[in-house]
Amino acid sequence: SGVLALGLAMVILTGNIDLSCGASASLAAVIAGTVLAKGGGPVLAIVAAIAVSTLFGLFNGLIVAFAGIDSLLVTLATQFIVTSIATSVAGASPPFGFPSAFTLIGQGSVNDIPIALLVFLVISLLVIVAVGYTGLGRSLTLIGYSPRAALYSGIAIRGSLTAVFTLCGAMSGVAGVLLAAY
């Protein structure tokens, strides 16, 4: 989904990669479906799905930033872990038959504009502003161009990397919710 690509684009700006974001989106979809199947409401399902994928993004960011392990290796390992968890949680028969209040997010529209597209447009605008007009965006770009120059410029590289992987995880959760609602 486009929301997933926006989160990954910010990671790529830093010269890193997140191979686990697709798996995190799948896990978020399974978590949302499972919460709904167990009787939880749509809000709880959305919060749980985004929270779980955000935690995996935070995990990736902390390992990359503080352990210094290459993001390709970290996120490849996380991808396998997250995929295994999603398969385990979904079981033999993944959840289905969600309430209309939830599926409205993925299937509904406002003035013939799909709600999922509106969510994407809002997040796109936020990413454009964050990357193009804030210190975080400039920091991410400088880290990607030259980590050494970023370090000498006083940029908190570890904090920025942790933040961008966490944001990517959160956007993976949003993408998973949209996927489940569709």
Side-chain angles (χ1 to χ4, degrees):
S1 117
V3 174
L4 197 64
L6 290 170
L8 186 56
M10 293 192 319
V11 170
I12 290 171
L13 272 177
T14 67
N16 287 286
I17 190 73
D18 188 345
L19 299 176
S20 68
C21 58
S24 290
S26 296
L27 177 61
V30 169
I31 294 291
T34 302
V35 169
L36 290 168
K38 302 260 187 220
V43 173
L44 179 61
I46 292 167
V47 169
I50 294 173
V52 167
S53 62
T54 301
L55 286 175
F56 277 107
L58 175 63
F59 173 79
N60 287 337
L62 290 173
I63 299 297
V64 169
F66 291 95
I69 301 173
D70 188 68
S71 63
L72 182 74
L73 297 173
V74 172
T75 60
L76 182 63
T78 306
Q79 176 187 18
F80 288 126
I81 293 167
V82 170
T83 301
S84 297
I85 293 170
T87 303
S88 176
V89 171
S93 61
F96 62 93
F98 307 135
S100 61
F102 181 75
T103 58
L104 182 68
I105 300 166
Q107 300 174 10
S109 64
V110 175
N111 293 331
D112 292 330
I113 301 172
I115 292 173
L117 177 61
L118 293 173
V119 169
F120 169 74
L121 292 174
V122 167
I123 292 175
S124 296
L125 181 63
L126 293 173
V127 169
I128 288 169
V129 169
V131 170
Y133 302 101
T134 67
L136 176 64
R138 287 187 291 281
S139 297
L140 300 179
T141 305
L142 184 56
I143 292 168
Y145 281 134
S146 175
R148 180 173 284 192
L151 180 66
Y152 293 146
S153 298
I155 293 173
I157 295 174
R158 289 180 173 165
S160 296
L161 288 175
T162 302
V164 76
F165 275 98
T166 304
L167 284 170
C168 185
M171 288 191 205
S172 296
V174 172
V177 168
L178 292 173
L179 176 67
Y182 180 73

